[in-house]
Amino acid sequence: MRVYRTARPASARRHLVRTLAWMVLVWFLALVALPAVLRRLERAAGIGRVRVPGGRVLGGGLLLAASALGIRSAVAMAGGGGTPVPFDAAARLVADGPYRWVRNPMAVSGVAQALGVALAVGSPSYLLVPPVGAVAWHRLVRPSEERFLRSCFGEQFEDYRAAVPLWLPHALRPRARTRPRPGSRRAGLARRQPPVH
């Protein structure tokens, strides 16, 4: 069974509805059910909360901001003719919206959401979810996703990959002095908003 497949043609609205349905399911499981189960197990084992000064306010704010990023990314993905789900992937290379700043804003959103929940709930076990999730996505999911994108979009993806950082948006990372590959469109991608392809 192929994990990665391009979505069947449909309206942007239909792709958005499917994306939001998946997001509600994943967010419920990862951000509500999992921390509740872990906190219950911790209480049964006599493990107290981790109290971070201002953790509930900071965590709640981070959760809201990261969720907004996830929703905005979903809208951009739906405009690309698909969803973030591997077996319903966008038919065009999405390089607008949050995808102008980082290559996978949904992964950034998910890690930030988990960190927000961890700070708000104070579960020692759940505090491990953001770093473990980031490493798991980076090492296990990203390579296969990038192979799929390379097979679908070729040099267009390579130029996008060279121009747009993976985790930290341009504004948060030091400017590297690197030269674009000969014949690539990297300079143009870096200076202006790339179109949705």
Side-chain angles (χ1 to χ4, degrees):
M1 177 180 132
R2 286 180 58 198
V3 175
Y4 289 93
R5 287 193 314 258
T6 302
R8 292 184 178 150
S11 69
R13 178 180 287 179
R14 186 171 177 88
H15 288 305
L16 183 59
V17 167
R18 286 204 308 255
T19 296
L20 294 177
W22 277 107
M23 289 172 73
V24 167
L25 175 64
V26 170
W27 287 5
F28 173 76
L29 293 174
L31 304 174
V32 178
L34 180 59
V37 168
L38 290 176
R39 192 62 205 118
R40 182 171 290 182
L41 293 172
E42 289 165 353
R43 278 196 297 269
I47 300 170
R49 288 182 68 233
V50 174
R51 300 198 185 277
V52 177
R56 289 189 178 188
V57 172
L58 180 62
L62 183 57
L63 176 61
L64 287 175
S67 298
L69 172 62
I71 291 168
R72 178 61 186 94
S73 302
V75 170
M77 187 64 67
T83 74
V85 180
F87 51 81
D88 202 24
R92 295 181 299 280
L93 182 63
V94 178
D96 69 334
Y99 291 89
R100 287 177 297 172
W101 307 104
V102 288
R103 292 201 308 269
N104 201 320
M106 298 204 75
V108 172
S109 167
V111 171
Q113 284 176 311
L115 180 57
V117 170
L119 290 171
V121 173
S123 162
S125 305
Y126 196 80
L127 281 168
L128 297 173
V129 170
V132 169
V135 169
W137 183 85
H138 187 79
R139 301 291 299 214
L140 302 175
V141 177
R142 180 192 56 82
S144 60
E145 182 179 78
E146 290 188 350
R147 279 193 299 274
F148 172 72
L149 292 170
R150 193 175 293 115
S151 72
C152 290
F153 306 112
E155 185 181 341
Q156 183 185 17
F157 171 69
E158 289 300 335
D159 289 344
Y160 172 72
R161 187 173 179 264
V164 179
L166 179 62
W167 284 106
L168 291 177
H170 292 293
L172 299 179
R173 52 192 291 256
R175 290 182 182 241
R177 293 186 173 262
T178 58
R179 295 181 186 178
R181 283 192 342 255
S184 78
R185 297 183 304 271
R186 178 177 176 184
L189 282 171
R191 285 194 205 100
R192 60 178 165 66
Q193 173 182 336
V196 176
H197 295 285

